[in-house]
Amino acid sequence: MATRTDAPTRREQILKEAARLFAERGFHGVGVDEIGAAVGISGPGLYRHFAGKDAMLAELLVGISGQLLTGAKRRLAEVDGGGAEQVLDSLIEGHIDFALDDRPLITLHDRELDRLRDSDRKMVRQLQRQYVELWVGVVREVYPGLGEPAARSAVHSVFGLLNSTPHLGRAGSLPGRGATAELLHRMARGAFAAA
């Protein structure tokens, strides 16, 4: 989802490796020494950047929820005046980028959300609700005959479809990124049309 071209910071490197390791082996299956080794520092050296594994998990899950919402708002602003169809396509493209580029975070969310402190989990849920409601508004513009509950169900169904990418096989085993993104986009639009 990131569009920056400069090198990631040490903190970003740690988060990326923590996400990968947590997704592969579970939160409790990974120690700080392993995360540190993955980025070339000692385990205790991580504490210069994070209070501990819990803080990493919170930053990963709250962070991606915030990034999705911010990205969706940006896409709405960029397509302003372009029509609801174009806005919906842009939202779908943004979520596909997340689903293909941040597969470990999807796995992490599915498995480890309950490990967050209550306040962090509530923040994730709040950001996710705002993200869903943004989509619901756009979907109802494109499909005006669709009631709010049906639109919300359709949005959650499309998220389920797009967020299934970790279960499609290893990243290298998928067809090319462009072909996979195009297929997911067609399937998402088809799901909305079927609603």
Side-chain angles (χ1 to χ4, degrees), residues 19 27 54 72 78 82 86 101 105 110-111 119 129 146 179-180:
F27 180 73
D54 292 336
E78 289 172 355
Q86 189 177 355
D101 296 341
L105 289 175
D110 288 347
R111 288 187 195 155
S119 60
R129 277 192 299 278
L146 198 58
T180 301

Side-chain angles (χ1 to χ4, degrees), residues 58-98:
E59 188 160 330
L60 285 164
L61 295 180
V62 172
I64 194 58
S65 298
Q67 288 172 28
L68 284 168
L69 178 59
T70 299
K73 288 178 179 178
R74 188 190 77 249
R75 286 173 177 276
L76 276 170
E78 289 172 355
V79 182
D80 189 34
E85 294 269 352
Q86 189 177 355
V87 172
L88 182 58
D89 285 333
S90 183
L91 289 174
I92 292 169
E93 288 166 13
H95 200 93
I96 288 170
D97 286 344
F98 156 68

Side-chain angles (χ1 to χ4, degrees), residues 158 161-162 180-193:
V158 166
L161 166 72
L162 299 179
T180 301
E182 184 180 329
L183 174 62
L184 289 170
H185 195 111
R186 284 197 322 264
M187 292 173 73
R189 283 306 295 258
F192 285 130

Side-chain angles (χ1 to χ4, degrees), residues 6 16 42 48 73 78 109 116 119 147-148 166 171 184 186:
D6 51 333
K16 181 178 180 179
S42 70
R48 285 191 304 249
K73 288 178 179 178
E78 289 172 355
H109 179 277
L116 291 179
S119 60
E148 190 172 322
L184 289 170
R186 284 197 322 264

Side-chain angles (χ1 to χ4, degrees), residues 135-137 139-140 143 146-156 192 195:
W135 277 68
V136 168
V139 167
R140 292 193 69 206
Y143 303 100
L146 198 58
E148 190 172 322
R152 189 170 289 103
S153 292
V155 167
H156 282 290
F192 285 130

Side-chain angles (χ1 to χ4, degrees), residues 20 75 124 188:
R20 181 184 63 79
R75 286 173 177 276
V124 167

